[in-house]
């Protein structure tokens, strides 16, 4: 009888317990609570067509987006799971104007971590049964333990993340995360509700032949990005590249992480600072990608070194194979 060599994520977390920079067990419990919430959201998403969970929730979020029912459902599941486990001292979410403090739990002020998240990424794909995701980012607080969490705890540069990950609700449900010691992927066995190590020590190829961008915005792209897209389409060397754009950051970045490629969301007419949010989309995806050997830039500088000033600030975002992102930076620099 062949031994099932696949570790469960729970076993993996315990095994890696002492690898965490601050191995107090809290980070392990935090990751486990995210896992629990991921299983609950995954279960709901798998039934989306049959239950009243698709379509608009009839409200607008701080981003000016029409909130989808699943945006709010996922937000509530992750927030409630994290609050009930009394592990974090504060939470920031795409779906909440301000950060969330843990009301009525004074002892929560003694907790060391804050979580920032995009509870449901790729909302435009929900109603058409195309994959969506969840993105999370974890920092140690910098305000004094024992005091209420403060905005400075959330406005830290991405290099200070202690953990980051995404859940991909795709053909299978996967969680991919890092605690700064490489990247590992786990697949959910829906039948028994356990995540199993399916993609150990993930590496992003330094080169690739896929570029992901919403070319509908081409006319408004910066000249350097237009030049790079033309470069991708030239019949030279290993080009033209393939264009793949799923419209869900998690899905596009996961494919590029696995196979090589570059995801681009430049500034556009409607979003002059870029569409993607630095704190809970770009920083976690950048941390994961760099931990796998890739790179993420705002077109000029490394995403992880940007110093945030606002909770929901946006940035142009280029992420994936190191040499491809560096090539974008080259074209942007040349055009200035
Ligand atoms: P969200 O659904 O969390 O608001 O994020 C959507 C983002 C990202 O997932 C995706 O790559 C991008 O928006 C798609 O934007 P366009 O539809 O403008 O291309
Ligand atoms: Mn949104
Ligand atoms: Mn998103
Ligand atoms: Mn979202």
């Amino acid at each position: 009888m062949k031994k099932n060599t696949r570790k469960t994520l729970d076993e993996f977390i315990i095994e890696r317990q002492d690898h965490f920079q601050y191995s107090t067990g809290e980070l392990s419990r935090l990751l486990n609570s995210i896992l629990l919430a991921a299983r609950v959201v995954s279960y709901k998403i798998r039934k989306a067509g049959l239950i009243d969970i698709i379509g608009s929730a009839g409200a607008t979020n701080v981003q000016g987006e029409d909130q989808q029912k699943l945006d709010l459902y996922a937000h509530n599941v992750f927030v409630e799971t994290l609050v009930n486990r009394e592990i974090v001292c504060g939470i920031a979410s795409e779906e909440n104007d301000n950060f969330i403090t843990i009301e009525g739990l004074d002892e929560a002020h003694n907790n060391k971590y804050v979580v920032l998240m995009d509870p449901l990424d790729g909302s435009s794909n929900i109603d058409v049964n195309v994959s969506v995701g969840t993105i999370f980012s974890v920092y140690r607080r910098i305000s004094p333990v024992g005091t209420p969490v403060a905005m400075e705890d959330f406005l830290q540069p991405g290099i200070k993340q202690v953990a980051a990950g995404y859940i991909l609700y795709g053909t299978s449900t996967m969680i991919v995360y890092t605690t700064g010691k490489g990247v590992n992927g786990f697949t959910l066995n829906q039948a028994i509700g356990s995540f199993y190590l399916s993609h150990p020590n993930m590496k992003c190829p330094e080169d690739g032949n896929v570029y992901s961008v919403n070319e509908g915005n081409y006319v408004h792209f910066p000249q350097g990005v237009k030049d790079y897209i033309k470069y991708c389409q030239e019949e030279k060397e290993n080009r033209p590249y393939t264009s793949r754009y799923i419209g869900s950051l998690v899905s596009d970045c996961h494919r590029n992480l696995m196979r090589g490629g570059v995801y681009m969301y430049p500034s556009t007419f409607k979003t002059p600072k870029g569409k993607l949010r630095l704190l809970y989309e770009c920083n976690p995806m950048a941390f994961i990608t760099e931990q796998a050997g890739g790179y993420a830039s705002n077109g000029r500088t490394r995403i992880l070194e940007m110093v945030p000033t606002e909770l929901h600030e946006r940035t142009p975002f280029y992420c994936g194979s190191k040499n491809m992102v560096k090539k974008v930076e080259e074209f942007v620099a040349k055009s200035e």
Side-chain angles (χ1 to χ4, degrees):
M1 160 89 158
K2 192 169 176 307
K3 191 160 91 61
N4 174 355
T5 52
R6 286 202 194 289
K7 282 188 187 67
T8 65
L9 180 45
D10 306 318
E11 290 163 340
F12 185 86
I13 289 176
I14 292 165
E15 193 182 275
R16 292 291 181 98
Q17 170 68 60
D18 57 337
H19 291 204
F20 295 152
Q21 204 173 355
Y22 312 93
S23 56
T24 61
E26 265 184 307
L27 191 55
S28 312
R29 281 176 43 234
L30 199 167
L31 288 170
N32 273 309
S33 59
I34 288 172
L35 276 183
L36 174 63
R39 283 194 283 258
V40 172
V41 172
S42 176
Y43 178 75
K44 208 76 161 179
I45 285 177
R46 301 282 169 222
K47 302 198 309 177
L50 303 171
I51 53 175
D52 180 23
I53 195 75
I54 56 179
S56 167
T60 305
N61 64 11
V62 66
Q63 327 282 341
E65 299 168 343
D66 173 21
Q67 282 180 312
Q68 301 301 297
K69 287 178 188 155
L70 209 49
D71 280 326
L72 291 180
Y73 174 77
H75 167 85
N76 293 331
V77 169
F78 277 93
V79 169
E80 279 158 25
T81 307
L82 286 167
V83 167
N84 293 342
R85 263 152 195 76
E86 299 167 18
I87 302 166
V88 298
C89 57
I91 303 165
S93 165
E94 177 196 348
E95 305 307 333
N96 228 63
D97 302 12
N98 203 345
F99 60 79
I100 299 160
T101 56
I102 317 297
E103 293 309 330
L105 281 175
D106 286 348
E107 58 277 20
H109 297 162
N110 297 321
N111 296 336
K112 300 189 203 60
Y113 297 104
V114 294
V115 174
L116 298 93
M117 69 181 167
D118 176 357
L120 206 287
D121 172 69
S123 308
S124 60
N125 288 335
I126 296 169
D127 295 6
V128 292
N129 199 13
V130 173
S131 54
V132 292
T134 295
I135 310 170
F136 65 89
S137 170
V138 183
Y139 293 83
R140 276 174 75 79
R141 69 181 302 175
I142 50 179
S143 58
V145 175
T147 63
V149 71
M151 183 59 90
E152 62 176 332
D153 296 314
F154 298 95
L155 299 183
Q156 300 183 54
I159 45 174
K160 296 284 190 190
Q161 290 175 93
V162 293
Y166 57 81
I167 295 107
L168 176 53
Y169 311 100
T171 43
S172 60
T173 295
M174 275 190 76
I175 182 166
V176 173
Y177 81 94
T178 182
T179 57
K181 302 264 186 301
V183 179
N184 292 283
F186 301 79
T187 300
L188 177 63
N189 178 331
Q190 298 272 15
I192 56 175
S194 288
F195 281 92
Y196 282 88
L197 180 61
S198 51
H199 298 70
N201 197 21
M202 294 174 76
K203 291 294 174 207
C204 180
E206 290 209 335
D207 283 298
N209 59 9
V210 172
Y211 70 100
S212 313
V213 66
N214 179 346
E215 296 196 49
N217 299 316
Y218 180 84
V219 288
H220 300 299
F221 285 161
Q223 188 54 48
V225 177
K226 288 180 178 173
D227 298 341
Y228 177 70
I229 291 173
K230 289 302 160 215
Y231 168 84
C232 293
Q233 294 167 345
E234 268 178 353
E235 296 199 330
K236 259 187 192 167
E237 297 148 5
N238 63 336
R239 287 170 279 139
Y241 294 154
T242 297
S243 171
R244 284 281 183 280
Y245 192 69
I246 303 170
S248 150
L249 175 69
V250 169
S251 308
D252 281 313
C253 284
H254 180 73
R255 184 204 49 248
N256 293 344
L257 182 67
M258 301 271 292
R259 295 222 186 117
V262 58
Y263 173 92
M264 300 184 277
Y265 208 107
S267 57
T268 67
F269 178 72
K270 275 194 300 183
T271 55
K273 290 190 177 157
K275 172 181 185 181
L276 298 181
R277 283 57 56 124
L278 175 60
L279 270 60
Y280 41 79
E281 289 175 310
C282 303
N283 269 334
M285 297 314 285
F287 185 29
I288 295 160
T289 302
E290 290 204 3
Q291 279 287 311
Y295 175 58
S297 165
N298 64 9
R300 291 184 184 77
T301 57
R302 188 181 176 212
I303 285 284
L304 292 179
E305 290 174 8
M306 291 177 70
V307 180
T309 52
E310 287 164 29
L311 211 48
H312 300 289
E313 78 178 65
R314 299 169 190 261
T315 174
F317 188 57
Y318 305 88
C319 181
S321 293
K322 184 186 296 189
N323 296 342
M324 296 182 86
V325 179
K326 292 285 184 193
K327 195 72 169 173
V328 177
E329 287 183 334
E330 246 178 67
F331 274 93
V332 169
K334 246 189 296 186
S335 71
E336 283 171 338

